[in-house]
Amino acid sequence: MRPAPTPVPPPETEIEPPGVPGLSGLLTLAVSVVVLAALYVGREVFLPVVLAILLAFVLAPFVELLRRTRLSRVPAVIIAVLVALGIIMSLATVIGFQVAGLATDLPRYQSTIENKIGHLREGSLGKLPALLKDFGRRFDKAVAEPPPEQQAPVPSNAATPPPPEEPKPLPVEVHEPDPTPAQVARNVLLPLLEPLATMGIVFVVLVFILMQREDLRDRMIRLFGSSDLHRTTAAMDDAARRLSRYFLTQLALNASFGVVAAVGLWLIGVPSPILWGVFAALLRFVPYIGSFLAALPPILLAASVDPGWSMALMTLALYAIGEPLMGHVIEPIVYGQSTGLSPFAVVISAIFWTWIWGPVGLLIATPLTLCLVVLGRHVERLEFLDVLLGDRPALTPAENLYQRMLAGDPDEALESAELLLKERSLTSYYDEVALRGLQLAANDATRGVLTHRQLEQVKDVIRALVQDLGGHDDVEPEPQKTKDDPVAAPASEKPANKEPALPAPMPEESGIPEAWRADGAVLCVAGRGPLDEAASEMLSQLLSKHGLGIRVVPHEAVSRRQIFNLDMTGVQMVCISYLEISGTPAHLRYLLRRLKQKAKAPTLVGLWPAEDAVLKSETMRATLGANYYVSSLRDAVVQCLKVATGEEKLPEPANAADANGATAAKRLPLPA
C-alpha cells in the first residue's frame, strides 16, 4: 500500500522564516538611511529652507497684524521681510564694529594677561607643576635604578670621553611676497559670499512661505493623508498659531536676556558689551548649556582687562543670577512649565542636529524638534515622532488606571482621578477614563490572560474608586486659566464632554416624580461579564446624584432560576450594562424577555463599547426588544431623566406586539 502524498502548499504561499525582518521593517530602515544621508549631504539646500520655515513662524503674527490694518498679503509680507532683514543687517553691522574694536584692543590686554600669569606662577599655584615634575622624576629614578647590591663597581680611574660636538643647523627664513589687492579682496570677500548666499536663499524661501502659507498647509495634509480634513486643518492651524506664539515669545525672552547681559557688562566695564549680549541671546537657544557657554568669553575678557579679579567675579555673578532667574522664574510665568519636549529628546536632538548641520544645527535643534513633535501629534503617519520626542506620558489615562488596577493600588488610582476631575465632570471621567480602563480589563479577561487574582484586584480597585468618588458632585468644574502651550494635545486625548455634565436646559430635580425618587425606582442590572457589575455601579451612582432612586443587582439575580425571587416592586425603569458582548446576543434577548414578563417597565441597554455591532445594526436592536440603546453613561443618565420627567414618551420596541418573543426568535435564530 503506497503512503499518502504529503500536501504541498500552493506556489503563491510564501512562509517567512522566523527571525527575518518583514518587508515593511526593511523599507522603514531604508527610508531612514536615505533621509539621514539626504539631510547630511544636502545641508546646503535643506538648512536655508529650515531656517526660512522657522523664521516664517516668527514673522507670521507680524504679517497678520499688518493685514488687520487693511493691507493685502503682498505688501504685508514685503514689509515684514524688510523689517526682519533690516534688524539682521543692523545687528551684523554692530557685531562687525564690535569685533573690529575688540581685535584692535587685544594687544593692550596682553600685558595684563602676562602679569596675572606671572603672579600665578610665583605663588603656590605656580610651584605645583614643578613639585609634580620633581616628584615624577624621583619616582622614575627610583624605579629605573637597580638595588645597590646589583650595581656593578665602576673603576675610579676610568675617564669618560666627551661626546663629539654636533654641527649647528643653518637658520632658514621664508619670506612670502606681499599679497596683491586681488588676493586681499579674495581672502576677504570669499568667506562672506557663503553666508550672504545662504541669507539670500533664506529670505527668498521665506517670502514664498508667507505668501502661500495656506496652500502649503493643504498640500502637507494631502501628502500625509487624513480621513477628517476639517479636523486636521483646524489642528494644523492651531499648531501653527501655537508655534508662532511660542517662537516669538522665546525670541523676545532671549533678546531680553541679551539686552540685560549687554547692559550689565557695560556697567561692569567689559569691552564690546553689545557683542556679548547678542552672543548670549543666540546661545540661549542651545538647551541647558547655552548660557554657560555665552558667559565664558566675557568672563575671560574681564579677567584680561582688570588687573584684579573683581570684574571677572562680577561678570560671573551677572550670568549666574540672570540665567536661573530667566529660566526658572520668568519663562514658566510667560509660557508655562512644558514645552512639549522630553529632556532626553532635547539633548539627543541637539547632538543629532549638530552632527548633521554643525553649529547652526545646534542653535535650531530645539525649535526644529518641536516642529517635528507637532507634526507627530497631528499627523497619524508621523505619530512615532511624538512618541519618541514628546513629553506626554507613555500611557493614556485609561491605560494608567488599568495598570493601577492590575497593581491593586486604589490610592494612586484615586489620586489620578482627582487630578482629572479638576478639568472634567464625574460623568466625563467615568465615560472617558474609567469605562475605557474597564474595557481593557474585560478584553484581557475574555482572552484569558488575566489570572483569577488579577481579576479580583481589578474588581477591588474599581469598587474602591467608585466608593471614594461618591462624594464628588457631577458638575462641570470652573474653567481654569491654562497656558497656551506650544504643543496642544491631540483631539483623541481632549475631554470629549466639554459641555456641562448634562445638557441644558434639563428639568430640575423638583420635576422628578416621587415614584422615581424611591429606592429601587431604577433597577441597574449587571451583564454577565466579570466586570459588568462595576459599570453598573458607576451608572447607579450617577443616577442617584441626579435625584433618581437606584438599586444594583448582579447578573445572577436575573438568571432563569433566580429571577422569580427578585422583588421588582416600584421599578420604573431597568438599565442593563455590558462592557463586552460579542457574537449573537441571544442571552440579552432572553434576559429582556424575562424582565418584561416580571415587570412592565421600560428597558435601557448600555453597550459601553461604542463600536459594538448591536449599536450599528437597527435590525439587531429591533430584534432584541429594548426601548433604548446607549453607548455612554452620560446618554444613559439623560434618557432616564427624560423618561422620568415625561419629556420623552416611551417608544414601543419593534417586537412588542409579540409578547412571548416568537417574532424575535424568527428574526434572530438561536446560535448552534
Side-chain angles (χ1 to χ4, degrees):
M1 185 175 181
R2 300 175 60 185
T6 304
V8 180
E12 63 273 7
T13 303
E14 296 183 2
I15 301 175
E16 188 176 3
V20 179
L23 181 60
S24 60
L26 293 176
L27 183 61
T28 303
L29 179 61
V31 170
S32 302
V33 172
V34 170
V35 169
L36 289 178
L39 290 175
Y40 183 78
V41 176
R43 54 184 176 271
E44 288 82 3
V45 177
F46 290 112
L47 185 57
V49 175
V50 171
L51 290 175
I53 293 174
L54 297 179
L55 194 56
F57 280 117
V58 176
L59 293 181
F62 185 45
V63 172
E64 294 298 326
L65 181 63
L66 291 176
R67 294 197 64 186
R68 292 175 186 173
T69 61
R70 298 184 179 180
L71 283 177
S72 61
R73 180 177 293 275
V74 175
V77 170
I78 292 176
I79 292 174
V81 171
L82 289 178
V83 170
L85 183 61
I87 294 175
I88 293 176
M89 295 300 295
S90 301
L91 287 177
T93 303
V94 172
I95 291 174
F97 281 112
Q98 293 275 300
V99 171
L102 184 62
T104 56
D105 294 337
L106 283 179
R108 192 175 61 184
Y109 309 141
Q110 185 176 358
S111 59
T112 305
I113 298 174
E114 292 176 353
N115 292 334
K116 286 190 174 183
I117 294 176
H119 289 308
L120 291 176
R121 287 179 177 177
E122 293 175 0
S124 57
L125 186 62
K127 296 178 181 179
L128 182 60
L131 293 175
L132 294 176
K133 186 176 181 181
D134 183 64
F135 175 77
R137 189 185 305 113
R138 291 176 181 272
F139 179 78
D140 294 339
K141 184 178 180 181
V143 173
E145 289 182 356
E149 60 272 9
Q150 296 182 5
Q151 293 181 0
V154 181
S156 59
N157 57 355
T160 303
E165 296 183 359
E166 296 181 359
K168 297 181 179 180
L170 298 176
V172 178
E173 296 182 0
V174 179
H175 295 277
E176 295 183 358
D178 296 335
T180 62
Q183 292 177 341
V184 173
R186 183 183 62 185
N187 295 335
V188 173
L189 294 179
L190 282 181
L192 296 177
L193 288 179
E194 183 176 356
L196 289 177
T198 302
M199 183 181 297
I201 296 174
V202 168
F203 278 92
V204 170
V205 176
L206 174 63
V207 170
F208 282 98
I209 291 177
L210 293 176
M211 290 284 191
Q212 301 179 339
R213 187 173 55 179
E214 289 79 8
D215 181 67
L216 293 175
R217 176 207 61 197
D218 296 341
R219 292 180 184 274
M220 181 175 296
I221 295 174
R222 179 66 181 272
L223 177 64
F224 293 106
S226 175
S227 58
D228 190 347
L229 290 178
H230 175 73
R231 186 174 63 84
T232 306
T233 302
M236 295 298 290
D237 287 341
D238 179 67
R241 179 186 61 82
R242 290 172 179 269
L243 284 176
S244 296
R245 181 173 298 181
Y246 173 75
F247 289 157
L248 190 61
T249 303
Q250 190 180 35
L251 180 62
L253 291 176
N254 291 353
S256 301
F257 181 80
V259 170
V260 171
V263 173
L265 293 175
W266 175 71
L267 294 175
I268 294 173
V270 179
S272 305
I274 299 179
L275 173 64
W276 308 124
V278 175
F279 192 61
L282 291 177
L283 283 184
R284 279 205 89 248
F285 286 100
V286 179
Y288 302 124
I289 62 172
S291 298
F292 300 102
L293 294 177
L296 288 178
I299 291 175
L300 295 177
L301 184 60
S304 303
V305 173
D306 186 15
W309 297 97
S310 60
M311 185 179 293
L313 293 177
M314 286 189 292
T315 305
L316 176 62
L318 174 65
Y319 283 89
I321 296 175
E323 169 57 25
L325 184 64
M326 178 66 73
H328 299 286
V329 178
I330 299 178
E331 285 184 353
I333 294 176
V334 174
Y335 51 68
Q337 299 286 345
S338 175
T339 61
L341 298 178
S342 67
F344 179 75
V346 171
V347 176
I348 295 300
S349 65
I351 297 173
F352 174 78
W353 292 114
T354 304
W355 169 60
I356 293 291
W357 289 341
V360 180
L362 179 62
L363 292 177
I364 66 174
T366 301
L368 183 56
T369 307
L370 189 59
C371 293
L372 296 178
V373 170
V374 170
L375 284 177
R377 193 159 292 188
H378 296 286
V379 179
E380 184 177 358
R381 294 185 182 180
L382 301 178
E383 187 179 2
F384 68 95
L385 294 174
D386 182 29
V387 176
L388 292 176
L389 306 175
D391 63 348
R392 288 190 301 164
L395 301 178
T396 63
E399 293 170 341
N400 185 52
L401 176 60
Y402 180 38
Q403 186 186 53
R404 295 302 91 206
M405 292 178 186
L406 292 176
D409 192 345
D411 294 331
E412 287 196 11
L414 178 61
E415 182 181 5
S416 176
E418 289 177 346
L419 290 176
L420 294 173
L421 286 171
K422 292 181 179 179
E423 59 182 15
R424 66 189 75 193
S425 64
L426 184 61
T427 302
S428 178
Y429 172 76
Y430 279 159
D431 274 331
E432 299 167 11
V433 180
L435 278 183
R436 293 182 183 180
L438 282 177
Q439 286 172 9
L440 295 175
N443 294 336
D444 286 348
T446 303
R447 293 188 295 116
V449 298
L450 284 183
T451 64
H452 178 73
R453 176 176 175 273
Q454 289 176 327
L455 189 59
E456 292 300 321
Q457 284 182 341
V458 170
K459 292 181 180 179
D460 293 340
V461 171
I462 195 64
R463 188 180 298 112
L465 179 63
V466 174
Q467 183 178 0
D468 291 335
L469 295 179
H472 198 286
D473 295 331
D474 185 26
V475 294
E476 189 71 15
E478 293 293 332
Q480 300 179 359
K481 294 182 178 180
T482 57
K483 300 294 182 182
D484 198 6
D485 295 331
V487 182
S492 60
E493 291 190 8
K494 293 180 180 178
N497 177 25
K498 293 307 294 182
E499 64 259 17
L502 295 179
M506 283 296 294
E508 299 291 337
E509 292 187 6
S510 57
I512 299 176
E514 291 297 328
W516 285 80
R517 294 176 177 272
D519 292 339
V522 179
L523 185 66
C524 297
V525 180
R528 65 176 183 176
L531 299 174
D532 289 340
E533 188 172 353
S536 186
E537 290 177 356
M538 294 181 194
L539 176 59
S540 64
Q541 185 184 88
L542 294 176
L543 292 173
S544 65
K545 290 182 179 298
H546 292 280
L548 297 177
I550 51 91
R551 180 160 60 112
V552 181
V553 296
H555 185 73
E556 291 77 10
V558 293
S559 64
R560 288 182 174 85
R561 294 182 178 180
Q562 300 294 332
I563 194 170
F564 299 102
N565 300 325
L566 180 63
D567 183 15
M568 298 188 67
T569 305
V571 173
Q572 305 295 325
M573 192 167 185
V574 179
C575 298
I576 309 173
S577 298
Y578 274 94
L579 279 170
E580 193 274 334
I581 180 171
S582 57
T584 304
H587 60 88
L588 176 58
R589 183 173 69 250
Y590 293 122
L591 172 61
L592 290 170
R593 182 188 301 177
R594 292 195 299 270
L595 291 172
K596 286 183 178 296
Q597 291 175 352
K598 186 70 176 177
K600 302 299 182 181
T603 54
L604 179 145
V605 176
L607 299 173
W608 311 130
E611 66 278 1
D612 196 274
V614 176
L615 296 173
K616 297 179 180 179
S617 174
E618 184 176 355
T619 303
M620 190 175 295
R621 294 197 304 270
T623 302
L624 293 176
N627 301 101
Y628 302 100
Y629 297 89
V630 295
S631 61
S632 67
L633 294 173
R634 180 178 183 273
D635 292 340
V637 175
V638 170
Q639 287 292 346
C640 290
L641 287 177
K642 287 184 177 181
V643 174
T645 56
E647 286 194 4
E648 183 172 327
K649 293 183 179 180
L650 182 66
E652 290 293 336
N655 60 348
D658 193 352
N660 59 6
T663 305
K666 292 178 182 179
R667 294 180 180 176
L668 190 61
L670 291 175

